[in-house]
Amino acid sequence: MDSNKTHSARHLAPEPPLWRLLLPLVLVLSAVAVWWFTAGEAEPPLQAPALTAEQQNVPFVDVTTAGSRHYVGRQSCIACHVEQSAEFVGSHHDQAMQEANADTVLGDFNNASFSYGGVTSTFFQRDGQFLVNTLGPDGRQQVYVAEYTFGVYPLQQYLLATPGGRYQAFSVAWDARPAGEGGQRWFQLNPDVNGDAPIKALHWSGRQFNWNLMCAECHSTNLERNFNAATNSYDTRWAEIDVSCEACHGPASDHLKWAAAPDANPDMAATLGLAVRFDEREGVTWQHDDNGTPGRSKPRDSEKEIQACAACHSRRAQLFDDPQDAGLLVENYLLATLDQGLYHPDGQIQDEVFVHGSFLQSKMYQAGVTCSDCHNPHSLELRVPGDGVCVQCHHADQYQTPKHHFHSSVQGSACVDCHMPTTTYMEVDPRRDHSLRIPRPDLSVSLGVPNACNQCHSDETPEWAAEHVEHWYGHVPQGAQQYAHTLAAGRAGSVGARQDLLKLLADEDQPAIARATAASLLQAWPGPEVAQSLFVALRAKDPVIRLGALEAIGSYSPVTRWQLASPLLDAPERVVRLQAAAQLLDIPPEQMRGDDVEKLRRAQQEYLQAQQANADDSSAQLNIGLYHQARNQLALAEDAYARALELDPYFIGAYINLADLYRASMRDPMAETLLNKGLEALPEAAPLHFSLGLLKVRSKDMADALIELRRAVVFDPQNAHYRYVLAVALDSADQRDAALVLIAEGLDLTPANQTLLTLQQQLQNKDATQ
């Protein structure tokens, strides 16, 4: 895997509307329902279905770190691990971050200038320092010191020192490719938001480019952010500046102790004293059955290696700030599922998602393949160049032939051309999709997703490609991933989507991440049948499925949520425990009985402590506010929301929640002032227009309410909920014809949306009876 993934830009893929780039995945207890217009129905009690023996007794592994372990540095490893050290030197992990000097800086700092969007940046040297003169956050030209390089190829960024111990990843980067490939130049990383009308929220000096919070953890070893909330400053430190040995293997002090005297430390024999011993491939060979299908000589019984890689090579949210063994994903991070905007509905990569979520969808992962089956974990290069990495397991005479790839030339016949197409991120960095799927141009025809065929044959249509594929096989090949239409329908809220999502959630032949996505989408269909399926999903062996199901239960009553989520308060994975507690924040422990009182109190306190440990993250401050608001501690909640906006003045969720707190405490004028302030910063933020529109409805200012609700629809036309609320408001204002036109326009975008279809029928029935 390519380790040069500059995380500072991971949220910056250009996808309109631009306000979507600024809305993290957080719990928002704002007024997003239509309770101003309609009342919810009573919720029936949950009847728990019978569980299988496996669901009743799920085997888990709890990972802990010995308190005596400490980091010893790469120099302590070299003497015994000469070959591995030699492979590591010069790798992308080795050069993930370096002090800026004549040997490490690749960019032209010889008084070079670069202009874009009306801003000119000049790169020069003085007294041995590398300097950048560019537009600062106050709108004036300033000189900044580029103290560190960030990445090495195909681009290199530079970390500029700013007040408060902050380092910002500058958004003008150096193209490190050869000049013949278009490289050796300065370029703008996110040109779509830095043109003639730049998006201020995505200025290089803002939160999205802050190295301390967004980038540092995956580019250094044993990072400590050391944020001081009182002074709003950092004293960030690391054990080693780059991604060194102990970033993956964990603190090695016990390993040195064992290596020096194995017989004196028999308790370390199994682990060799390593915090995490990567032994999944030890003694494993790949064999073939009579059909030539490869298989492991013994099943993979752990995911230590995959989890350690995924901690950085995945799209995820960091929930804890304390170090864990090799940063295992299930202990520290919440993995993004196949969410709209991140993945296409068939699961192909769309935004920058960093490999892991794609790999979880593959047959290779299901068969037991690990990262190091294909990649040298020390050099990060392929174990064998080109198709050789695939024919380690797949017979060349079966797959390296036109009978398989249907191409007579070398171009287009490489395994990765068809099964791992690329998407270019950060303007110059093509990344391969690791879901290893078969090309499906027929899905391009029906759903508009990309396909590998047209990536090469860009002058042809998807219909042309689909006809050729069907001709080759005599039918439309389906592949292993069977959820494209289901997820597309679920995203659109289409008729029949609920049953298809339930079917996908229960399908154990489909990848867990797709089933988890189905579970999360079911939040749009709360009800008894869905609750029954979520009850089962919350007891699944795979934590990814349990986390997806937890996301879906927020709209149920406290009693039902307790029934569903409370068993997971004792889950062995910290992330699962935290997400279960997040769904139960509004339940006072005093309402519980017996042992449940202490169980809930402990879980809620752990949740609060986890948010406080990430006090420099505006999303964590938002969650602290939600915690206090659920307890009617409005002063504390208000302070947390204000801190969130101090950290990120473009944080939509904080504006909405603070405005909702003002509304709940009968301070509607303050809510309106705040939302207008947010719209000054983010004039195209559909959620802010929607929230302001609902506030106007509450004050019975229907004229202005309709204006704001309509703006929400204009800036996010695909959002059926916004359209539904505006249509209801129009009908209540005696504008039924306009409401029906609005619904019809929405159905042109999402023809099978059940919510809009139902409302359309209701309004038409009103017309018929009047």
Side-chain angles (χ1 to χ4, degrees), residues 224-285:
E224 296 178 357
R225 291 208 308 267
N226 293 333
F227 176 71
N228 187 322
T231 61
N232 192 21
S233 63
Y234 289 94
D235 182 21
T236 304
R237 306 191 176 206
W238 54 70
E240 293 188 76
I241 193 173
D242 53 17
V243 184
S244 195
C245 310
E246 292 166 294
C248 300
H249 294 282
S253 56
D254 283 355
H255 179 61
L256 294 183
K257 186 187 301 184
W258 170 85
D263 294 339
N265 296 280
D267 56 322
M268 301 182 188
T271 64
L272 310 184
L274 293 167
V276 179
R277 182 184 178 188
F278 300 121
D279 54 4
E280 288 99 332
R281 298 180 69 248
E282 287 186 5
V284 172
T285 59

Side-chain angles (χ1 to χ4, degrees), residues 526-545:
E529 183 181 7
V530 171
Q532 308 288 354
S533 294
L534 294 176
F535 183 93
V536 176
L538 288 164
R539 284 142 184 84
K541 178 179 179 180
D542 195 313
V544 171
I545 297 176

Side-chain angles (χ1 to χ4, degrees), residues 82 85 92 190-191 237 285 329 435 541 602 616 710 747:
V82 176
S85 178
H92 282 186
N190 47 344
R237 306 191 176 206
T285 59
L329 186 75
S435 56
K541 178 179 179 180
R602 183 180 67 249
D616 57 332
R710 188 174 293 280
L747 290 173

Side-chain angles (χ1 to χ4, degrees), residues 519-597:
S520 66
L521 287 170
L522 283 166
Q523 64 187 294
W525 288 275
E529 183 181 7
V530 171
Q532 308 288 354
S533 294
L534 294 176
F535 183 93
V536 176
L538 288 164
R539 284 142 184 84
K541 178 179 179 180
D542 195 313
V544 171
I545 297 176
R546 283 179 272 141
L547 288 166
L550 278 170
E551 189 177 343
I553 68 173
S555 60
Y556 289 93
S557 69
V559 172
T560 301
R561 273 186 283 118
W562 174 260
Q563 286 181 276
L564 290 168
S566 60
L568 297 185
L569 295 176
D570 294 323
E573 305 95 348
R574 295 198 305 170
V575 171
V576 176
R577 294 196 301 269
L578 185 80
Q579 293 304 98
Q583 290 291 1
L584 304 173
L585 290 183
D586 60 334
I587 301 177
E590 295 76 19
Q591 291 184 1
M592 298 293 104
R593 296 180 179 179
D595 295 339
D596 289 341
V597 174

Side-chain angles (χ1 to χ4, degrees), residues 419-484:
H419 300 294
M420 300 183 70
T422 61
T423 300
T424 298
Y425 302 103
M426 303 183 79
E427 305 304 313
V428 300
D429 192 1
R431 316 269 178 85
R432 293 203 175 274
D433 191 313
H434 278 61
S435 56
L436 297 134
R437 62 184 68 236
I438 67 168
R440 291 288 306 272
D442 62 296
L443 293 180
S444 300
V445 175
S446 60
L447 297 175
V449 300
N451 72 83
C453 303
N454 288 117
Q455 187 169 87
C456 289
H457 299 279
S458 57
D459 56 337
E460 301 288 355
T461 66
E463 288 80 3
W464 173 89
E467 289 173 5
H468 274 71
V469 170
E470 185 172 2
H471 174 72
W472 290 339
Y473 291 99
H475 63 277
V476 177
Q478 298 299 300
Q481 297 94 352
Q482 297 289 311
Y483 39 81

